[in-house]
Amino acid sequence: MKLHDLELSGNCYKVRLFCALLGIPVDIAPVDFMGGEHKTEQFGRLNPFHEIPVLEDAGLVLRDSQAILVYLARKHGGEAWLPTAPAEMAEVMQWLSTAANDVARGPNDARLHDKFSFDIDVARARDKAHRLLRILDTHLAGRAWLALDRPTIADVACFPYVALAPEGGVPLADYPAVRGWIERVKALPGFISMPGLG
Ligand SMILES: N[C@@H](CCC(=O)N[C@@H](CS)C(=O)NCC(=O)O)C(=O)O
């Protein structure tokens, strides 16, 4: 199994982290992101959206970190990380949508602006980040995990850019339940870190 990867990407880290939590090996193929390798025609044959991560597994080529988590959870995680009962599966999936939308357009965009100089309306991204963090903090006030009563890929999908929010000028000081959740994720057996997580 091969992951086309960038160490500083939270979307790629999501996949590395989940492989570590599952205890499955993955070969890392670093992409020269700053050199524009992902924009080449050759990379476009792997992912026509020209984005990382991309996972290759026995002839299968998968783009999008959420889709990759779904694949790995169902292939290697049994019912633990993504159960198949309709309501339970949907409860996890709604947080994958949150990761792809609210997390991406909030804390992720703010970090892209501050850390990688992307041309993004950073005030708007920070507003969205704080709106998301208020919702998460309320949600997590009376529970340990985002979905169900245990860690699932909902937590893995949302974790990186929420935990990295301070790198985009979005402090977590006002969100104690979110900080408690971050510590719980960091305490999971097999957890690995990435630059910026402290
Ligand atoms: N929905 C995709 C988004 C992936 C994405 O935006 N990746 C970034 C790196 S973190 C990228 O490759 N951006 C391409 C670019 O900025 O040119 C996912 O979750 O994997």
Side-chain angles (χ1 to χ4, degrees), residues 9 11 33 38-39 50-53 64-66 118 161:
S9 156
N11 286 316
F33 196 77
H38 60 300
K39 296 186 176 155
H50 293 274
E51 290 173 344
I52 47 173
D64 189 89
S65 55
Q66 278 63 240
F118 273 48
Y161 291 111

Side-chain angles (χ1 to χ4, degrees), residues 63-93:
R63 63 173 171 83
D64 189 89
S65 55
Q66 278 63 240
I68 296 169
L69 294 183
V70 166
Y71 172 70
L72 295 174
R74 292 306 314 148
K75 186 168 180 191
H76 298 283
E79 290 293 302
W81 295 90
L82 179 63
T84 47
E88 293 195 341
M89 181 180 257
E91 197 183 325
V92 174
M93 294 300 297

Side-chain angles (χ1 to χ4, degrees), residues 88-163:
E88 293 195 341
M89 181 180 257
E91 197 183 325
V92 174
M93 294 300 297
Q94 66 187 353
W95 290 105
L96 301 193
S97 286
T98 300
N101 293 289
D102 312 76
V103 176
R105 298 289 70 84
N108 184 358
D109 270 356
R111 178 175 177 265
L112 283 174
H113 174 275
D114 280 21
K115 201 170 166 70
F116 300 100
S117 306
F118 273 48
D119 184 14
I120 281 171
D121 181 344
V122 72
R124 192 170 149 81
R126 289 193 186 124
D127 279 352
K128 289 185 178 192
H130 283 292
R131 175 180 181 272
L132 168 71
L133 286 164
R134 283 193 297 274
I135 292 169
L136 287 179
D137 208 59
T138 303
H139 181 72
L140 287 164
R143 52 186 306 144
W145 306 103
L146 288 179
L148 311 179
D149 58 357
R150 61 181 186 273
T152 65
I153 56 171
D155 303 288
V156 181
C158 291
F159 174 77
Y161 291 111
V162 170

